[in-house]
Amino acid sequence: MKVLRILLITIYLSVSYTKAHDLFRPLPVNEQQDWVLLKWAPVPFRVQYHGFVESSKLYRYLFVVDGEMVYLQPNEIAQQQFILKQVLLGGQQVVIEDMLTNELRVLKSGETSYIPNKFNCVLLEGKTGIQFPFSDTKNCYKTDNRELFVSQKGSNLHVWEITKAQEPMLYVFSTKLSK
């Protein structure tokens, strides 16, 4: 009886493994990909935080704005229209208020900060080899029988291709920046 039970369990597991293995087998590729993300460039924020220096028992926090170095203390207003609101994690992060947009931003020391949902990219149509430049402001391409719409959703780029007499297609590209 135990041998029969073990035999049945073994057969069940091997069939389940085969089905699961077949389920996750990659699809065959007979053609080139429809779309390839050639270039992804998020737009950097105008203020970048680079750390702090100590001078005469006061900490001065170093920012770079349009290639110019700016030193601030907490609650000081920069000529470039931002305020250092708060220092976090011993100076590893700061909170600033951008007076041009009235937004608060957390900036990390030594890391490039980007404007959310602002980007430039280039897509390659695999079938024709034609390159299409897009951005957050120029995010649509239209012809008589086809429309392309590009948008950023979180850390992904969504590309909608709508062709007459066909189902719309959504292509999703990961845009996570590697550190």
Side-chain angles (χ1 to χ4, degrees), residues 50 61-72 80 82:
H50 286 274
Y61 298 89
L62 173 64
F63 298 88
V64 175
V65 184
D66 298 325
E68 182 181 345
M69 292 184 131
V70 177
Y71 294 91
L72 293 179
Q80 293 82 1
F82 72 95

Side-chain angles (χ1 to χ4, degrees), residues 9 16 24 40 56 58 81-82 94 101 103 109-111 117 127 130 138 152 156 159 175:
I9 290 172
S16 297
F24 295 108
W40 172 256
S56 67
L58 291 175
Q81 300 295 306
F82 72 95
V94 294
T101 61
E103 294 179 348
S109 176
E111 288 187 19
N117 298 321
K127 294 176 183 174
I130 298 173
K138 184 184 172 256
Q152 185 178 2
N156 293 324
V159 179
T175 60

Side-chain angles (χ1 to χ4, degrees), residues 103-115:
E103 294 179 348
L104 292 176
R105 296 191 185 269
V106 176
L107 306 178
K108 295 181 180 179
S109 176
E111 288 187 19
T112 304
S113 299
Y114 298 98
I115 302 172

Side-chain angles (χ1 to χ4, degrees), residues 5-67:
R5 189 179 304 172
I6 292 173
L7 182 61
L8 287 174
I9 290 172
T10 305
I11 290 172
Y12 175 76
L13 289 175
S14 66
V15 169
S16 297
Y17 173 77
T18 303
K19 286 183 180 178
H21 182 68
D22 289 345
L23 178 66
F24 295 108
R25 188 175 300 156
L27 295 171
V29 178
N30 298 333
E31 304 176 10
Q32 288 186 340
Q33 286 183 310
D34 289 343
W35 293 98
V36 177
L37 181 60
L38 289 182
K39 177 186 170 194
W40 172 256
V43 176
F45 182 53
R46 66 185 185 92
V47 178
Q48 299 294 321
Y49 175 55
H50 286 274
F52 61 92
V53 294
E54 184 180 357
S55 64
S56 67
K57 298 184 182 181
L58 291 175
Y59 287 105
R60 305 289 289 169
Y61 298 89
L62 173 64
F63 298 88
V64 175
V65 184
D66 298 325

Side-chain angles (χ1 to χ4, degrees), residues 143-161:
T143 63
D144 290 339
N145 63 346
R146 180 170 76 162
E147 296 180 46
L148 298 172
F149 295 96
V150 175
S151 63
Q152 185 178 2
K153 304 284 186 193
S155 62
N156 293 324
L157 181 71
H158 287 203
V159 179
W160 281 97
E161 180 178 24

